[in-house]
Coordinates of all heavy atoms in Angstrom, one line a residue:
M235 N 12.3 -16.7 -15.8 CA 11.6 -17.6 -16.7 C 12.6 -18.6 -17.3 O 13.8 -18.2 -17.4 CB 10.9 -16.8 -17.8 CG 9.6 -16.2 -17.4 SD 8.7 -15.5 -18.8 CE 9.8 -14.0 -19.1
T236 N 12.1 -19.7 -17.8 CA 13.0 -20.6 -18.4 C 13.2 -20.3 -19.9 O 12.3 -20.0 -20.6 CB 12.4 -22.0 -18.3 OG1 12.1 -22.3 -16.9 CG2 13.3 -23.1 -18.8
L237 N 14.4 -20.4 -20.3 CA 14.7 -20.3 -21.8 C 14.1 -21.5 -22.5 O 14.4 -22.6 -22.1 CB 16.2 -20.2 -22.0 CG 16.7 -20.2 -23.4 CD1 16.2 -19.0 -24.2 CD2 18.2 -20.3 -23.5
K238 N 13.4 -21.2 -23.6 CA 12.9 -22.3 -24.4 C 13.5 -22.3 -25.8 O 13.7 -21.2 -26.4 CB 11.3 -22.1 -24.6 CG 10.6 -22.1 -23.3 CD 10.2 -23.5 -23.0 CE 9.3 -23.7 -21.8 NZ 8.6 -22.6 -21.2
V239 N 13.9 -23.5 -26.2 CA 14.3 -23.6 -27.6 C 13.3 -24.5 -28.3 O 12.3 -25.0 -27.7 CB 15.7 -24.2 -27.7 CG1 16.8 -23.4 -27.0 CG2 15.8 -25.6 -27.1
F240 N 13.5 -24.7 -29.6 CA 12.4 -25.3 -30.4 C 13.0 -26.5 -31.2 O 14.0 -26.4 -31.8 CB 11.9 -24.2 -31.4 CG 11.4 -23.0 -30.6 CD1 12.2 -22.0 -30.4 CD2 10.1 -23.0 -30.1 CE1 11.8 -20.9 -29.6 CE2 9.7 -21.9 -29.3 CZ 10.5 -20.8 -29.1
Q241 N 12.3 -27.6 -31.0 CA 12.8 -28.9 -31.6 C 11.8 -29.3 -32.7 O 10.6 -29.4 -32.4 CB 12.9 -30.0 -30.5 CG 13.4 -31.3 -31.1 CD 13.8 -32.2 -30.0 OE1 13.1 -32.3 -29.0 NE2 14.9 -32.9 -30.2
C242 N 12.3 -29.6 -33.8 CA 11.6 -30.0 -35.0 C 11.0 -31.4 -34.6 O 11.7 -32.3 -34.2 CB 12.5 -30.1 -36.2 SG 11.6 -30.9 -37.6
E243 N 9.6 -31.5 -34.8 CA 9.0 -32.8 -34.5 C 9.3 -33.9 -35.5 O 9.2 -35.1 -35.2 CB 7.5 -32.6 -34.5 CG 7.0 -31.8 -33.2 CD 5.6 -31.9 -33.0 OE1 4.8 -32.6 -33.7 OE2 5.1 -31.3 -32.0
Q244 N 9.8 -33.5 -36.7 CA 10.1 -34.5 -37.7 C 11.5 -35.0 -37.6 O 11.7 -36.2 -37.6 CB 9.8 -33.9 -39.1 CG 9.9 -34.9 -40.2 CD 9.3 -34.4 -41.5 OE1 8.1 -34.2 -41.5 NE2 10.1 -34.1 -42.5
C245 N 12.5 -34.1 -37.5 CA 13.9 -34.6 -37.6 C 14.6 -34.4 -36.3 O 15.7 -34.9 -36.1 CB 14.6 -34.0 -38.7 SG 15.1 -32.2 -38.4
G246 N 14.0 -33.7 -35.3 CA 14.7 -33.5 -34.0 C 15.7 -32.4 -33.9 O 16.2 -32.2 -32.8
L247 N 15.9 -31.6 -35.0 CA 16.8 -30.5 -34.9 C 16.3 -29.5 -33.9 O 15.1 -29.2 -33.8 CB 16.9 -29.8 -36.3 CG 17.8 -28.6 -36.4 CD1 19.3 -29.1 -36.4 CD2 17.6 -27.9 -37.7
T248 N 17.2 -28.9 -33.1 CA 16.8 -27.8 -32.2 C 17.3 -26.5 -32.6 O 18.5 -26.5 -33.1 CB 17.2 -28.1 -30.7 OG1 18.6 -28.4 -30.7 CG2 16.5 -29.2 -30.1
V249 N 16.5 -25.5 -32.6 CA 16.9 -24.2 -33.0 C 16.6 -23.1 -32.0 O 15.7 -23.3 -31.2 CB 16.3 -23.8 -34.4 CG1 16.7 -24.8 -35.5 CG2 14.8 -23.7 -34.3
F250 N 17.2 -22.0 -32.1 CA 16.9 -20.8 -31.3 C 17.5 -19.6 -32.1 O 18.7 -19.6 -32.4 CB 17.5 -20.8 -29.9 CG 17.1 -19.6 -29.1 CD1 15.9 -19.6 -28.4 CD2 17.9 -18.5 -29.0 CE1 15.5 -18.5 -27.7 CE2 17.5 -17.4 -28.3 CZ 16.3 -17.4 -27.6
P251 N 16.7 -18.5 -32.3 CA 15.3 -18.4 -32.0 C 14.4 -19.2 -32.9 O 14.9 -19.9 -33.8 CB 15.1 -16.9 -32.3 CG 16.1 -16.5 -33.3 CD 17.3 -17.3 -33.0
A252 N 13.1 -19.1 -32.7 CA 12.2 -19.9 -33.4 C 12.2 -19.6 -34.9 O 12.5 -18.5 -35.3 CB 10.7 -19.7 -32.9
R253 N 12.0 -20.6 -35.7 CA 11.9 -20.4 -37.2 C 10.6 -21.0 -37.6 O 10.0 -21.8 -37.0 CB 13.1 -21.1 -37.9 CG 14.4 -20.5 -37.7 CD 15.5 -21.2 -38.4 NE 16.7 -20.5 -38.4 CZ 17.6 -20.6 -37.3 NH1 17.2 -21.3 -36.3 NH2 18.7 -19.9 -37.3
Y254 N 10.2 -20.6 -38.8 CA 8.9 -21.1 -39.3 C 9.1 -22.5 -39.9 O 8.4 -23.4 -39.5 CB 8.3 -20.2 -40.4 CG 7.0 -20.7 -41.0 CD1 5.9 -20.8 -40.1 CD2 6.9 -21.0 -42.3 CE1 4.7 -21.3 -40.6 CE2 5.7 -21.5 -42.8 CZ 4.6 -21.7 -41.9 OH 3.5 -22.2 -42.4
L255 N 10.1 -22.6 -40.8 CA 10.4 -24.0 -41.4 C 11.7 -24.5 -40.8 O 12.7 -23.7 -40.7 CB 10.5 -23.9 -42.9 CG 9.2 -23.5 -43.6 CD1 9.5 -23.4 -45.1 CD2 8.1 -24.6 -43.4
C256 N 11.8 -25.8 -40.6 CA 13.1 -26.4 -40.2 C 14.0 -26.3 -41.5 O 13.6 -26.7 -42.6 CB 12.8 -27.9 -39.9 SG 14.3 -28.8 -39.5
F257 N 15.2 -25.8 -41.3 CA 16.1 -25.7 -42.4 C 16.8 -27.1 -42.7 O 17.5 -27.2 -43.7 CB 17.1 -24.6 -42.2 CG 18.0 -24.7 -41.0 CD1 19.1 -25.6 -41.0 CD2 17.8 -23.9 -39.9 CE1 19.9 -25.7 -39.9 CE2 18.6 -24.0 -38.8 CZ 19.6 -24.8 -38.8
Q258 N 16.6 -28.1 -41.9 CA 17.2 -29.4 -42.2 C 16.2 -30.3 -42.9 O 16.6 -30.9 -43.9 CB 17.5 -30.0 -40.8 CG 18.3 -31.3 -41.0 CD 19.0 -31.7 -39.7 OE1 20.1 -31.3 -39.4 NE2 18.3 -32.5 -38.9
C259 N 14.9 -30.2 -42.6 CA 14.0 -31.1 -43.3 C 12.7 -30.4 -43.8 O 11.9 -31.0 -44.5 CB 13.5 -32.2 -42.3 SG 12.3 -31.6 -41.1
G260 N 12.5 -29.1 -43.6 CA 11.4 -28.4 -44.2 C 10.1 -28.5 -43.4 O 9.1 -27.9 -43.8
A261 N 10.1 -29.2 -42.3 CA 8.8 -29.3 -41.6 C 8.5 -28.0 -40.8 O 9.4 -27.2 -40.6 CB 8.9 -30.5 -40.5
A262 N 7.3 -27.8 -40.4 CA 6.9 -26.6 -39.8 C 6.2 -26.9 -38.4 O 5.4 -26.1 -37.9 CB 5.9 -25.8 -40.7
K263 N 6.5 -28.0 -37.8 CA 6.0 -28.4 -36.5 C 7.1 -28.4 -35.5 O 8.1 -29.2 -35.7 CB 5.2 -29.7 -36.6 CG 3.9 -29.6 -37.1 CD 3.1 -30.9 -36.8 CE 1.6 -30.6 -36.8 NZ 0.8 -31.8 -36.4
W264 N 6.9 -27.7 -34.4 CA 8.0 -27.6 -33.4 C 7.4 -27.9 -32.1 O 6.3 -27.6 -31.8 CB 8.5 -26.1 -33.4 CG 9.1 -25.7 -34.7 CD1 8.4 -25.0 -35.7 CD2 10.4 -25.9 -35.2 NE1 9.2 -24.8 -36.7 CE2 10.5 -25.3 -36.5 CE3 11.5 -26.5 -34.7 CZ2 11.6 -25.3 -37.2 CZ3 12.7 -26.5 -35.4 CH2 12.7 -25.9 -36.7
R265 N 8.3 -28.4 -31.2 CA 7.9 -28.5 -29.8 C 8.9 -27.8 -29.0 O 10.1 -27.7 -29.3 CB 7.7 -30.0 -29.4 CG 9.0 -30.7 -29.0 CD 8.7 -32.1 -28.4 NE 8.2 -33.0 -29.4 CZ 9.0 -33.8 -30.1 NH1 10.3 -33.8 -29.9 NH2 8.5 -34.7 -31.0
E266 N 8.4 -27.1 -27.9 CA 9.3 -26.4 -27.0 C 10.1 -27.3 -26.1 O 9.5 -28.3 -25.6 CB 8.5 -25.4 -26.2 CG 7.9 -24.2 -27.0 CD 7.3 -23.2 -26.0 OE1 7.2 -23.4 -24.8 OE2 6.9 -22.1 -26.6
R267 N 11.3 -26.9 -25.9 CA 12.1 -27.7 -25.0 C 12.8 -26.7 -24.1 O 13.3 -25.6 -24.5 CB 13.2 -28.5 -25.7 CG 12.7 -29.7 -26.4 CD 13.8 -30.6 -26.7 NE 14.7 -30.9 -25.6 CZ 15.9 -31.6 -25.7 NH1 16.3 -32.0 -26.8 NH2 16.6 -31.8 -24.6
A268 N 12.9 -26.9 -22.8 CA 13.6 -26.1 -21.9 C 15.1 -26.2 -22.1 O 15.6 -27.3 -22.4 CB 13.3 -26.5 -20.4
A269 N 15.8 -25.1 -22.1 CA 17.3 -25.1 -22.2 C 17.8 -24.4 -20.9 O 17.9 -23.1 -20.9 CB 17.7 -24.3 -23.4
E270 N 18.0 -25.1 -19.9 CA 18.3 -24.5 -18.6 C 19.8 -24.4 -18.3 O 20.2 -23.6 -17.4 CB 17.6 -25.3 -17.5 CG 16.1 -25.2 -17.5 CD 15.4 -26.1 -16.5 OE1 15.5 -27.4 -16.8 OE2 14.9 -25.6 -15.6
R271 N 20.6 -25.2 -19.0 CA 22.0 -25.1 -18.8 C 22.8 -25.1 -20.1 O 22.3 -25.5 -21.1 CB 22.5 -26.3 -18.0 CG 22.0 -26.3 -16.5 CD 22.4 -27.6 -15.9 NE 22.0 -27.6 -14.5 CZ 22.8 -27.8 -13.5 NH1 24.1 -28.2 -13.7 NH2 22.4 -27.7 -12.2
G272 N 24.0 -24.6 -20.0 CA 24.9 -24.6 -21.1 C 26.3 -24.4 -20.7 O 26.7 -24.3 -19.6
T273 N 27.2 -24.2 -21.8 CA 28.6 -24.0 -21.6 C 29.0 -22.8 -22.4 O 28.7 -22.7 -23.6 CB 29.4 -25.3 -22.0 OG1 28.8 -26.4 -21.4 CG2 30.9 -25.1 -21.7
I274 N 29.8 -21.9 -21.8 CA 30.3 -20.8 -22.6 C 31.3 -21.1 -23.6 O 32.2 -21.9 -23.4 CB 30.9 -19.7 -21.6 CG1 29.8 -19.2 -20.7 CG2 31.7 -18.6 -22.3 CD1 30.3 -18.1 -19.7
D275 N 31.0 -20.6 -24.8 CA 32.0 -20.8 -25.9 C 32.9 -19.6 -26.1 O 34.1 -19.7 -26.2 CB 31.2 -20.9 -27.3 CG 30.4 -22.2 -27.3 OD1 30.9 -23.2 -26.8 OD2 29.3 -22.1 -27.8
E276 N 32.3 -18.4 -26.1 CA 33.1 -17.2 -26.4 C 32.5 -16.0 -25.6 O 31.3 -16.0 -25.3 CB 33.0 -16.8 -27.9 CG 33.9 -17.6 -28.8 CD 33.8 -17.0 -30.2 OE1 34.3 -15.9 -30.4 OE2 33.1 -17.6 -31.0
L277 N 33.3 -15.0 -25.3 CA 32.9 -13.9 -24.6 C 33.1 -12.6 -25.4 O 34.1 -12.6 -26.2 CB 33.6 -13.7 -23.3 CG 33.5 -14.9 -22.3 CD1 34.6 -14.9 -21.3 CD2 32.1 -14.8 -21.6
T278 N 32.2 -11.6 -25.3 CA 32.4 -10.4 -26.0 C 32.0 -9.3 -25.1 O 31.0 -9.4 -24.3 CB 31.4 -10.3 -27.2 OG1 31.5 -11.5 -28.0 CG2 31.7 -9.1 -28.1
T279 N 32.7 -8.2 -25.1 CA 32.2 -7.0 -24.4 C 31.7 -5.9 -25.3 O 32.4 -5.6 -26.3 CB 33.4 -6.4 -23.5 OG1 34.0 -7.4 -22.7 CG2 33.0 -5.2 -22.7
V280 N 30.5 -5.5 -25.1 CA 29.9 -4.4 -25.9 C 30.1 -3.1 -25.2 O 29.6 -2.9 -24.1 CB 28.4 -4.7 -26.2 CG1 27.8 -3.6 -27.0 CG2 28.2 -6.0 -26.9
R281 N 30.9 -2.2 -25.8 CA 31.2 -0.9 -25.2 C 30.0 0.0 -25.4 O 29.7 0.2 -26.6 CB 32.5 -0.3 -25.7 CG 33.6 -1.3 -25.6 CD 34.6 -0.9 -24.5 NE 35.6 -2.0 -24.3 CZ 35.9 -2.5 -23.2 NH1 35.4 -2.0 -22.1 NH2 36.9 -3.4 -23.1
R282 N 29.5 0.6 -24.4 CA 28.4 1.6 -24.5 C 29.0 2.9 -24.7 O 30.1 3.2 -24.1 CB 27.6 1.6 -23.3 CG 26.8 0.3 -23.0 CD 25.5 0.3 -23.8 NE 24.7 -0.8 -23.5 CZ 23.8 -0.8 -22.6 NH1 23.6 0.2 -21.8 NH2 23.0 -1.9 -22.4
R283 N 28.4 3.8 -25.5 CA 28.9 5.1 -25.6 C 28.7 5.9 -24.3 O 27.8 5.6 -23.6 CB 28.2 5.9 -26.8 CG 26.8 6.1 -26.6 CD 26.2 6.5 -28.0 NE 24.8 6.2 -28.0 CZ 23.8 6.9 -27.4 NH1 24.1 8.0 -26.8 NH2 22.6 6.5 -27.5
V284 N 29.6 6.8 -24.1 CA 29.6 7.6 -22.9 C 28.2 8.4 -22.8 O 27.8 9.0 -23.8 CB 30.7 8.6 -22.8 CG1 30.6 9.5 -21.6 CG2 32.1 7.9 -22.8
G285 N 27.6 8.3 -21.6 CA 26.3 9.1 -21.5 C 25.1 8.2 -21.9 O 24.0 8.7 -21.7
A286 N 25.3 7.0 -22.3 CA 24.1 6.2 -22.6 C 23.3 6.0 -21.3 O 23.8 6.0 -20.2 CB 24.5 4.8 -23.2
R287 N 22.0 5.9 -21.5 CA 21.1 6.0 -20.3 C 21.4 4.9 -19.2 O 21.7 5.2 -18.1 CB 19.6 5.9 -20.7 CG 18.8 6.4 -19.5 CD 17.3 6.3 -19.7 NE 16.9 6.7 -21.1 CZ 15.7 6.4 -21.5 NH1 14.8 5.8 -20.8 NH2 15.4 6.8 -22.8
D288 N 21.4 3.7 -19.6 CA 21.9 2.7 -18.7 C 23.3 2.2 -19.0 O 23.5 1.1 -19.4 CB 20.9 1.5 -18.5 CG 20.5 0.9 -19.9 OD1 21.0 1.3 -20.9 OD2 19.7 0.0 -19.9
G289 N 24.2 3.2 -18.9 CA 25.5 3.0 -19.3 C 26.3 1.9 -18.7 O 25.7 1.1 -18.0
G290 N 27.5 1.7 -19.1 CA 28.3 0.6 -18.6 C 28.4 -0.4 -19.7 O 27.4 -0.6 -20.5
D291 N 29.5 -1.1 -19.8 CA 29.7 -2.1 -20.8 C 28.8 -3.3 -20.6 O 28.4 -3.6 -19.4 CB 31.1 -2.5 -20.9 CG 32.1 -1.3 -21.3 OD1 31.5 -0.4 -21.8 OD2 33.3 -1.4 -21.0
V292 N 28.5 -4.0 -21.6 CA 27.6 -5.2 -21.5 C 28.5 -6.4 -21.9 O 29.1 -6.4 -22.9 CB 26.4 -5.1 -22.4 CG1 25.6 -6.4 -22.4 CG2 25.6 -3.9 -22.1
L293 N 28.5 -7.4 -21.0 CA 29.2 -8.6 -21.3 C 28.3 -9.6 -21.9 O 27.2 -9.9 -21.4 CB 29.8 -9.2 -20.0 CG 31.0 -8.5 -19.4 CD1 31.2 -9.0 -18.0 CD2 32.2 -8.7 -20.2
L294 N 28.7 -10.1 -23.1 CA 27.8 -11.1 -23.7 C 28.7 -12.4 -23.9 O 29.9 -12.3 -24.1 CB 27.4 -10.6 -25.1 CG 26.5 -9.4 -25.2 CD1 26.3 -9.0 -26.6 CD2 25.2 -9.6 -24.5
A295 N 28.0 -13.5 -23.9 CA 28.6 -14.8 -24.1 C 27.8 -15.6 -25.1 O 26.6 -15.6 -25.0 CB 28.7 -15.6 -22.7
S296 N 28.5 -16.3 -26.0 CA 27.8 -17.3 -26.7 C 27.9 -18.6 -25.9 O 28.9 -19.0 -25.4 CB 28.3 -17.4 -28.2 OG 29.6 -17.9 -28.1
V297 N 26.7 -19.2 -25.8 CA 26.6 -20.4 -24.9 C 26.0 -21.5 -25.7 O 24.9 -21.4 -26.3 CB 25.6 -20.0 -23.7 CG1 25.4 -21.3 -22.8 CG2 26.2 -18.9 -22.9
T298 N 26.6 -22.7 -25.7 CA 26.0 -23.9 -26.3 C 25.1 -24.5 -25.2 O 25.6 -24.9 -24.2 CB 27.1 -24.9 -26.7 OG1 27.9 -24.3 -27.7 CG2 26.5 -26.1 -27.3
T299 N 23.8 -24.5 -25.5 CA 22.9 -25.0 -24.5 C 22.9 -26.6 -24.5 O 23.3 -27.2 -25.5 CB 21.5 -24.6 -24.8 OG1 21.1 -25.1 -26.1 CG2 21.4 -23.1 -24.9
D300 N 22.5 -27.1 -23.4 CA 22.4 -28.6 -23.3 C 21.4 -29.1 -24.3 O 21.5 -30.3 -24.8 CB 22.0 -29.0 -21.9 CG 23.2 -28.8 -20.9 OD1 24.3 -28.5 -21.3 OD2 22.9 -29.1 -19.7
A301 N 20.5 -28.3 -24.7 CA 19.4 -28.7 -25.7 C 20.0 -28.7 -27.1 O 19.3 -29.2 -28.0 CB 18.2 -27.9 -25.5
G302 N 21.1 -28.0 -27.3 CA 21.7 -28.0 -28.7 C 22.1 -26.7 -29.3 O 23.2 -26.4 -29.6
P303 N 21.1 -25.8 -29.4 CA 21.4 -24.5 -30.1 C 22.4 -23.6 -29.3 O 22.4 -23.7 -28.1 CB 20.0 -23.8 -30.2 CG 19.0 -24.8 -29.9 CD 19.7 -25.9 -29.1
I304 N 23.0 -22.7 -30.0 CA 23.9 -21.7 -29.4 C 23.0 -20.5 -29.2 O 22.3 -20.0 -30.1 CB 25.1 -21.4 -30.3 CG1 26.0 -22.7 -30.3 CG2 25.9 -20.2 -29.8 CD1 27.1 -22.6 -31.3
V305 N 23.1 -19.9 -28.0 CA 22.4 -18.6 -27.8 C 23.4 -17.6 -27.3 O 24.4 -17.9 -26.8 CB 21.3 -18.8 -26.7 CG1 20.3 -19.9 -27.1 CG2 21.9 -19.2 -25.3
I306 N 23.0 -16.3 -27.5 CA 23.8 -15.2 -27.0 C 23.1 -14.7 -25.7 O 22.0 -14.4 -25.6 CB 23.8 -14.0 -28.0 CG1 24.3 -14.5 -29.3 CG2 24.7 -12.9 -27.4 CD1 25.7 -15.0 -29.3
A307 N 23.9 -14.7 -24.6 CA 23.4 -14.4 -23.3 C 24.2 -13.3 -22.6 O 25.4 -13.1 -22.9 CB 23.4 -15.7 -22.4
R308 N 23.5 -12.5 -21.8 CA 24.2 -11.5 -21.0 C 24.8 -12.2 -19.8 O 24.1 -13.1 -19.2 CB 23.2 -10.5 -20.5 CG 22.8 -9.5 -21.6 CD 21.7 -8.6 -21.1 NE 21.5 -7.6 -22.1 CZ 21.8 -6.3 -21.8 NH1 22.2 -5.9 -20.7 NH2 21.6 -5.4 -22.8
I309 N 25.9 -11.8 -19.4 CA 26.5 -12.3 -18.1 C 26.9 -11.1 -17.2 O 27.1 -10.0 -17.7 CB 27.8 -13.2 -18.4 CG1 28.8 -12.4 -19.2 CG2 27.3 -14.4 -19.1 CD1 30.1 -13.3 -19.4
E310 N 26.9 -11.3 -15.9 CA 27.1 -10.2 -15.0 C 28.5 -9.9 -14.7 O 28.9 -8.8 -14.3 CB 26.3 -10.5 -13.7 CG 24.8 -10.3 -13.9 CD 24.0 -11.1 -12.8 OE1 24.7 -11.7 -11.9 OE2 22.8 -11.0 -12.9
R311 N 29.4 -10.9 -14.8 CA 30.8 -10.7 -14.6 C 31.6 -11.6 -15.6 O 31.0 -12.5 -16.1 CB 31.2 -10.9 -13.2 CG 30.9 -12.4 -12.7 CD 31.4 -12.6 -11.3 NE 31.1 -14.0 -10.9 CZ 31.7 -15.1 -11.3 NH1 32.7 -15.0 -12.1 NH2 31.4 -16.2 -10.8
A312 N 32.9 -11.2 -15.7 CA 33.7 -12.0 -16.6 C 33.7 -13.5 -16.2 O 33.9 -13.8 -15.1 CB 35.1 -11.4 -16.6
M313 N 33.6 -14.3 -17.2 CA 33.7 -15.7 -17.0 C 34.6 -16.2 -18.1 O 35.1 -15.5 -19.0 CB 32.4 -16.4 -17.0 CG 31.5 -15.9 -15.9 SD 30.1 -17.0 -15.4 CE 29.2 -17.0 -16.8
R314 N 34.8 -17.5 -18.2 CA 35.8 -18.1 -19.2 C 35.1 -19.1 -20.1 O 34.1 -19.7 -19.6 CB 36.9 -18.7 -18.5 CG 38.0 -17.7 -18.0 CD 39.1 -18.4 -17.4 NE 38.7 -19.1 -16.2 CZ 39.5 -19.5 -15.2 NH1 40.7 -19.2 -15.2 NH2 39.0 -20.1 -14.1
A315 N 35.6 -19.2 -21.3 CA 35.2 -20.3 -22.2 C 35.3 -21.6 -21.4 O 36.2 -21.9 -20.7 CB 36.0 -20.3 -23.4
G316 N 34.2 -22.4 -21.6 CA 34.2 -23.7 -20.9 C 33.5 -23.7 -19.6 O 33.1 -24.8 -19.0
D317 N 33.2 -22.5 -19.0 CA 32.4 -22.4 -17.8 C 31.0 -22.9 -18.0 O 30.4 -22.5 -19.0 CB 32.4 -21.0 -17.2 CG 33.7 -20.5 -16.6 OD1 34.6 -21.4 -16.5 OD2 33.8 -19.4 -16.2
A318 N 30.5 -23.6 -17.0 CA 29.1 -24.0 -17.0 C 28.2 -22.9 -16.5 O 28.5 -22.3 -15.5 CB 28.9 -25.3 -16.2
V319 N 27.0 -22.7 -17.2 CA 26.1 -21.7 -16.7 C 24.7 -22.2 -16.7 O 24.4 -23.2 -17.3 CB 26.2 -20.5 -17.7 CG1 27.5 -19.7 -17.6 CG2 25.9 -20.9 -19.1
R320 N 23.9 -21.5 -15.9 CA 22.5 -21.7 -15.8 C 21.8 -20.6 -16.7 O 22.2 -19.5 -16.5 CB 22.0 -21.7 -14.4 CG 20.6 -22.0 -14.2 CD 20.2 -22.0 -12.7 NE 21.0 -22.9 -11.9 CZ 20.8 -24.2 -11.8 NH1 19.8 -24.8 -12.4 NH2 21.5 -25.0 -11.0
L321 N 20.9 -20.9 -17.5 CA 20.2 -20.0 -18.4 C 18.8 -19.6 -17.9 O 18.1 -20.4 -17.4 CB 20.2 -20.6 -19.8 CG 21.5 -20.8 -20.5 CD1 21.4 -21.8 -21.6 CD2 22.2 -19.5 -20.9
A322 N 18.5 -18.3 -18.2 CA 17.1 -17.9 -17.8 C 16.8 -16.7 -18.7 O 17.6 -16.2 -19.5 CB 17.1 -17.4 -16.4
I323 N 15.5 -16.3 -18.7 CA 15.0 -15.2 -19.5 C 14.6 -14.1 -18.5 O 13.9 -14.4 -17.5 CB 13.8 -15.6 -20.3 CG1 14.2 -16.7 -21.3 CG2 13.2 -14.4 -21.0 CD1 14.8 -16.2 -22.6
D324 N 15.0 -12.9 -18.7 CA 14.5 -11.8 -17.8 C 13.2 -11.2 -18.3 O 12.6 -11.6 -19.3 CB 15.6 -10.8 -17.5 CG 15.8 -9.9 -18.7 OD1 15.1 -9.9 -19.7 OD2 16.8 -9.1 -18.6
E325 N 12.7 -10.2 -17.5 CA 11.4 -9.6 -17.8 C 11.4 -8.9 -19.2 O 10.3 -8.6 -19.7 CB 10.9 -8.8 -16.7 CG 11.7 -7.6 -16.3 CD 13.0 -7.9 -15.5 OE1 13.1 -9.1 -15.1 OE2 13.8 -7.0 -15.3
Q326 N 12.6 -8.6 -19.7 CA 12.7 -7.9 -21.0 C 13.0 -9.0 -22.1 O 13.4 -8.6 -23.2 CB 13.7 -6.8 -21.0 CG 13.3 -5.7 -20.1 CD 14.4 -4.7 -19.9 OE1 14.9 -4.1 -20.8 NE2 14.9 -4.5 -18.6
S327 N 12.8 -10.2 -21.8 CA 13.0 -11.3 -22.8 C 14.5 -11.4 -23.2 O 14.8 -11.9 -24.3 CB 12.1 -11.2 -24.0 OG 10.8 -11.2 -23.6
R328 N 15.4 -11.0 -22.4 CA 16.8 -11.2 -22.7 C 17.3 -12.5 -22.0 O 16.8 -12.8 -21.0 CB 17.6 -10.0 -22.1 CG 17.2 -8.7 -22.7 CD 18.0 -7.5 -22.2 NE 17.9 -7.4 -20.8 CZ 18.2 -6.3 -20.1 NH1 18.6 -5.2 -20.7 NH2 18.1 -6.3 -18.8
V329 N 18.2 -13.1 -22.7 CA 18.8 -14.3 -22.2 C 19.9 -14.0 -21.2 O 20.8 -13.2 -21.5 CB 19.3 -15.2 -23.3 CG1 19.9 -16.5 -22.8 CG2 18.2 -15.5 -24.4
L330 N 19.8 -14.6 -20.0 CA 20.8 -14.4 -19.0 C 21.6 -15.7 -18.7 O 20.9 -16.7 -18.7 CB 20.2 -13.9 -17.7 CG 19.3 -12.7 -17.8 CD1 18.7 -12.4 -16.4 CD2 20.0 -11.4 -18.3
A331 N 22.8 -15.6 -18.4 CA 23.6 -16.8 -18.1 C 24.3 -16.5 -16.7 O 24.9 -15.4 -16.6 CB 24.7 -17.1 -19.1
R332 N 24.1 -17.4 -15.8 CA 24.8 -17.2 -14.5 C 25.6 -18.4 -14.2 O 25.2 -19.6 -14.6 CB 23.7 -17.1 -13.4 CG 22.9 -15.8 -13.5 CD 22.2 -15.5 -12.2 NE 21.4 -14.3 -12.4 CZ 20.2 -14.2 -12.8 NH1 19.5 -15.4 -13.1 NH2 19.6 -13.1 -12.9
P333 N 26.7 -18.2 -13.5 CA 27.6 -19.4 -13.2 C 26.9 -20.4 -12.4 O 26.1 -20.0 -11.5 CB 28.8 -18.8 -12.5 CG 28.5 -17.4 -12.2 CD 27.3 -17.0 -13.0
I334 N 27.2 -21.6 -12.6 CA 26.7 -22.7 -11.7 C 27.6 -22.9 -10.6 O 28.8 -23.2 -10.8 CB 26.5 -24.0 -12.5 CG1 25.4 -23.8 -13.5 CG2 26.1 -25.2 -11.5 CD1 25.2 -25.0 -14.5
A335 N 27.2 -22.6 -9.4 CA 28.1 -22.6 -8.2 C 28.5 -24.0 -7.9 O 27.8 -24.9 -8.1 CB 27.4 -21.9 -7.0
Ligands
ZN557 ZN1 13.4 -30.9 -39.2

């Protein structure tokens, strides 16, 4: 699925996740915008405790989307800040980032 971010109809600010009121202008009308690509800002590894059911460390990246907002995405292998990624949503509504080949 495509990652969607939310753009204020009044001032154009884009946010993720959705908010009720725009914190820039106070409006409450949003339009959805696709955020299909982005650039990695930072990487973090979340260490799982030993014996966790779907064990293994989780790699997370903060990604500045082309649409504006920064999102936290799972990545499958180590990448570097500045790498371009394609963004998607999995069936558990998690944000995924994959390298653009
Ligand atoms: Zn606004």
